[in-house]
Amino acid sequence: MQLRRMLILLVTGISAVSLSVAGCTNQQRDLEADAQTPATPTQFQETPKADVPYVPTSPEVVNAMLQLAQVTKNDVVYDLGSGDGRIPITAAQKYGVRRAVGVEINPELVQESKANAQNAGVSDRVTFQQQDLFQTNFDGATVVTLYLLPDVNLKLRPKLLQELKPGTRIVSHAFDMGEWKPKKTVQVQGTTLYLWVVPDQVPNNLLQ
Ligand SMILES: C[S@@+](CC[C@H](N)C(=O)[O-])C[C@H]1O[C@@H](n2cnc3c(N)ncnc32)[C@H](O)[C@@H]1O
């Protein structure tokens, strides 16, 4: 009897240990399988890499940029790297532009911009695209605004000169375009603003 009880206990114990070992092994397999399965967009939304950190332009400088470009109600304004949307929103709200577009890589800033446009009552004329600015389609653009970095301006220069219509005005906050000399500069709040106008004939040296 004693021996029978010992045998039952022994068999039960072995089974319990086996189950728990099997459970661990299955869990481990699941984890390994997860690690090897490429993440789907719904599991992890990868944040696209920004070429420039987010630093907003002050309202005074936003106005000075739009004034330097002599923005009117006939214009279509694109802000490349639009942050919280303040430049396109101001262009619509204060300058009455036909249309304004913000191109921004950071999806959270795009959401914030859309809410800001809604609150400002201009979402019928202001749109935001979550996109790499190097992929921008400049449909209808007559003014382009930039607050990027010197190397990003230089990398962008051939695209601007090849894809924008002659006569399009480009305004940059703080940074120049290397060999492409500005038509005009102004000083505002200790920073320089640059204005260029896309020429009919683009010199080859500016396309590199
Ligand atoms: C210096 S902030 C300027 C924001 C806004 N234009 C302003 O003047 O207030 C630059 C913005 O560019 C965005 N950005 C950086 N790299 C980008 C890229 N490759 N494509 C689109 N947006 C980009 C950043 O997320 C940031 O919001």
Side-chain angles (χ1 to χ4, degrees):
M1 194 61 181
Q2 190 69 9
L3 182 66
R4 199 163 162 246
R5 273 182 62 190
M6 279 175 66
L7 270 173
I8 290 170
L9 281 173
L10 189 65
V11 169
T12 316
I14 289 171
S15 304
V17 170
S18 307
L19 268 177
S20 92
V21 167
C24 278
T25 310
N26 283 341
Q27 268 181 341
Q28 256 175 338
R29 275 200 213 107
D30 286 350
L31 282 172
E32 283 164 12
D34 269 3
Q36 280 161 17
T37 308
T40 58
T42 49
Q43 278 174 303
F44 299 106
Q45 202 163 37
E46 217 174 89
T47 308
K49 195 184 148 342
D51 294 287
V52 186
Y54 174 49
V55 180
T57 295
S58 71
E60 293 77 10
V61 175
V62 169
N63 272 308
M65 290 173 77
L66 296 170
Q67 282 164 17
L68 181 59
Q70 297 191 313
V71 167
T72 71
K73 61 181 177 36
N74 297 321
D75 280 310
V76 175
V77 175
Y78 277 62
D79 185 31
L80 304 186
S82 48
D84 67 358
R86 58 185 60 203
I87 295 178
I89 290 169
T90 306
Q93 208 176 25
K94 285 189 68 174
Y95 296 77
V97 295
R98 199 142 51 89
R99 196 157 63 80
V101 180
V103 179
E104 171 56 54
I105 206 160
N106 181 327
E108 285 165 18
L109 286 170
V110 171
Q111 284 314 312
E112 192 182 329
S113 303
K114 288 180 178 173
N116 291 342
Q118 190 82 35
N119 291 338
V122 292
S123 47
D124 55 332
R125 282 176 294 139
V126 181
T127 55
F128 294 95
Q129 302 169 0
Q130 198 244 307
Q131 193 182 37
D132 184 338
L133 60 90
F134 289 99
Q135 305 301 320
T136 305
N137 173 351
F138 294 116
D139 181 33
T142 56
V143 173
V144 173
T145 56
L146 312 170
Y147 183 23
L148 301 169
L149 282 171
D151 61 320
V152 182
N153 275 7
L154 281 186
K155 193 172 158 199
L156 193 59
R157 192 176 73 189
K159 180 176 169 72
L160 296 171
L161 283 163
Q162 280 167 325
E163 297 180 21
L164 290 170
K165 287 183 301 234
T168 304
R169 293 98 79 201
I170 301 168
V171 171
S172 170
H173 175 179
F175 303 112
D176 68 14
M177 293 254 197
E179 288 176 77
W180 190 15
K181 296 303 165 211
K183 187 178 160 74
K184 190 172 173 187
T185 62
V186 293
Q187 297 287 322
V188 187
Q189 290 191 332
T191 188
T192 306
L193 306 182
Y194 300 82
L195 169 73
W196 298 265
V197 178
V198 176
D200 289 323
Q201 299 289 324
V202 179
N204 276 336
N205 66 314
L206 300 183
L207 294 175
Q208 286 134 30

